């Protein structure tokens, strides 16, 4: 799998992206360069698709990971062609793009199951409720909820160490919305990072640690960490997987992932349009998205996404923020009606 490559590649990507002021141009202003930035969760998808696209297109693809919020800032400044996002664009971000004269095309690129992870040495937190996770992560827990037995009486009286996404991350926004009921509402006394490998390393060696991250990093690090199952409304305990993300049985932490394509780039840079056609061709997308540990869209969604792109239908389907419980069918409907 390709996830482990991202630290070095991203550094090179960011350095290359800084070589010129115009998206789509190399350092000399002649070679076609596709600039993608944003979510660390979406990063492995972009890295895999970009690597394959480079082989046949003659276009250099650079991929950065400044976080979902950072990617939107770059998109709205006209610095990148595509922003990868693990949540929908917020109202204030869309407003910033509009004020800068930047229109965007919102395309679902994959499905994800956001995983709550613990060490394999943890034998007691196999299944937790949303309420228990809220007890642990809500803003009021800071400085008050510090031991496992404060979450559930049967848990040991030992200090819990927390890891999670940084505040500029779409994963942070989605997790806080799904668990605490409000985007951005979270305790602050945890190890916050845009690098999911920090969470993997921190959780794997500590039986009393807990964190959250995207499915690809769980899949890539099988054996180092294990997923906590989430108790559903019917009483069943369901874990994150490609199957449970696709059938939406893993709630409330199943979510879509996105590409936001600059309309200017789409109109003026043929290699950007060529990449979108490549990325939304199921023969390329399905194996590559699966390879890096995420869930491909339903087959019927790919041509609908291409049609939406070809029509240059801009704006967001969402009302300025994340929606919990969005299914693959919802994404297909979005592509169809936009």
């Amino acid at each position: 799998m390709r996830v482990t490559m991202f630290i070095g590649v991203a550094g090179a990507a960011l350095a290359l992206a800084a070589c010129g002021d115009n998206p789509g141009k190399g350092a000399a202003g002649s070679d076609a360069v596709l600039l993608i930035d944003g979510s660390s969760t979406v990063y492995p998808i972009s890295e895999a698709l970009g690597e394959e696209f480079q082989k046949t297109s003659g276009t250099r693809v650079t991929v950065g990971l400044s976080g979902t919020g950072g990617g939107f800032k770059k998109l709205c400044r006209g610095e990148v062609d595509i922003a990868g996002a693990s949540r929908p664009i917020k109202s204030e971000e869309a407003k910033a793009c509009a004020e800068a004269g930047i229109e965007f095309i919102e395309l679902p690129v994959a499905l994800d199951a956001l995983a709550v992870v613990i060490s394999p040495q943890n034998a007691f937190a196999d299944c937790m409720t949303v309420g228990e996770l809220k007890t642990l992560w809500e803003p009021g827990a800071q400085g008050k909820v510090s031991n496992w037995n404060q979450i559930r009486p049967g848990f040991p009286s030992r200090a819990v160490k927390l890891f999670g996404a940084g505040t500029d991350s779409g994963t942070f926004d989605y997790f806080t919305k799904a668990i605490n009921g409000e985007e951005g509402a979270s305790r602050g006394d945890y190890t916050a990072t845009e690098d999911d490998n920090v969470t993997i390393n921190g959780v794997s060696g500590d039986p009393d640690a807990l964190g959250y991250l995207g499915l690809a990093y769980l899949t890539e690090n099988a054996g180092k960490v294990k997923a906590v199952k989430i108790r559903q409304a019917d009483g069943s305990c369901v874990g994150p997987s490609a199957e449970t993300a696709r059938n939406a049985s893993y709630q409330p932490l199943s979510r879509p992932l996105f590409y936001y394509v600059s309309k200017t780039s789409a109109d003026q840079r043929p290699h950007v349009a060529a990449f979108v056609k490549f990325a939304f061709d199921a023969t390329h997308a399905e194996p590559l998205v699966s390879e890096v540990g995420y869930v491909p869209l339903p087959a019927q969604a790919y041509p609908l996404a291409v049609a939406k792109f070809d029509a240059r239908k801009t704006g967001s389907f969402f009302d300025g923020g994340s929606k919990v419980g969005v299914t693959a069918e919802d994404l297909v409907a979005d592509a169809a009606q936009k």
Side-chain angles (χ1 to χ4, degrees):
M1 293 178 68
R2 307 170 194 242
V3 177
T4 53
M5 298 172 61
F6 82 86
I7 295 296
V9 176
L14 290 169
L16 177 58
C19 290
D21 294 330
N22 297 321
K25 295 296 183 181
S30 57
D31 295 334
V33 181
L34 176 71
L35 304 182
I36 307 174
D37 208 313
S39 167
S40 63
T41 302
V42 181
Y43 177 88
I45 298 171
S46 299
E47 193 265 345
L49 290 168
E51 182 179 312
E52 293 302 315
F53 183 67
Q54 282 185 151
K55 292 178 180 179
T56 58
S57 68
T59 297
R60 286 184 290 165
V61 181
T62 71
V63 186
L65 61 162
S66 58
T68 293
F72 282 136
K73 289 176 183 176
K74 292 186 177 185
L75 180 73
C76 295
R77 291 195 297 257
E79 295 174 0
V80 297
D81 301 302
I82 299 173
S86 56
R87 58 156 171 83
I89 193 167
K90 296 180 180 179
S91 297
E92 58 267 30
E93 292 164 334
K95 181 180 178 182
C97 276
E99 290 175 348
I102 301 293
E103 296 181 278
F104 55 80
I105 305 161
E106 179 186 75
L107 301 172
V109 69
L111 303 175
D112 182 26
L114 205 164
V116 176
V117 295
I118 54 176
S119 166
Q121 302 171 61
N122 183 321
F124 56 87
D126 178 66
C127 180
M128 297 177 68
T129 67
V130 171
E132 288 171 335
L133 290 171
K134 182 178 181 180
T135 296
L136 182 59
W137 283 101
E138 65 185 347
Q142 183 166 335
K144 297 180 181 179
V145 179
S146 56
N147 279 22
W148 278 101
N149 66 346
Q150 292 175 278
I151 305 166
R152 185 188 300 177
F155 285 169
S157 180
R158 297 200 300 262
V160 57
K161 187 174 182 181
L162 298 175
F163 295 81
T167 57
D168 204 30
S169 167
T171 294
F172 172 81
D173 289 324
Y174 190 85
F175 183 84
T176 53
K177 173 72 172 180
I179 299 301
N180 295 331
E182 179 183 349
E183 283 191 10
S186 174
R187 67 189 300 164
D189 54 343
Y190 69 99
T191 299
T193 179
E194 300 293 348
D195 179 358
D196 291 312
N197 287 309
V198 171
T199 297
I200 292 292
N201 293 332
V203 171
S204 64
D206 188 340
D208 293 315
L210 177 145
Y212 63 89
L213 37 64
L215 179 62
Y217 293 90
L218 170 66
T219 304
E220 172 73 3
N221 293 280
K224 292 183 180 180
V225 296
K226 67 178 181 180
V228 176
K229 296 175 183 177
I230 305 298
R231 191 173 300 280
Q232 303 298 302
D234 64 1
S236 64
C237 289
V238 179
S241 69
E243 180 181 359
T244 59
R246 187 179 293 111
N247 64 24
S249 63
Y250 177 69
Q251 292 297 335
L253 295 177
S254 294
R255 60 173 178 170
L257 304 175
F258 300 93
Y259 273 162
Y260 285 78
V261 185
S262 164
K263 182 177 181 296
T264 298
S265 292
D267 289 341
Q268 298 180 2
R269 302 181 181 102
H271 58 280
V272 174
F275 175 78
V276 171
K277 299 295 179 66
F278 179 91
F280 288 89
D281 181 335
T283 60
H284 305 133
E286 288 183 349
L288 291 172
V289 169
S290 297
E291 179 186 335
V292 296
Y294 291 111
V295 184
L297 299 175
Q300 64 268 33
Y302 290 103
L304 290 170
V306 171
K308 179 178 177 180
F309 174 80
D310 285 341
R312 301 294 193 267
K313 293 179 179 177
T314 58
S316 177
F317 168 75
F318 298 83
D319 298 322
S322 299
K323 290 182 180 180
V324 175
V326 173
T327 67
E329 288 72 20
D330 295 326
L331 300 181
V332 174
D334 172 33
Q337 65 184 288
K338 280 296 218 174

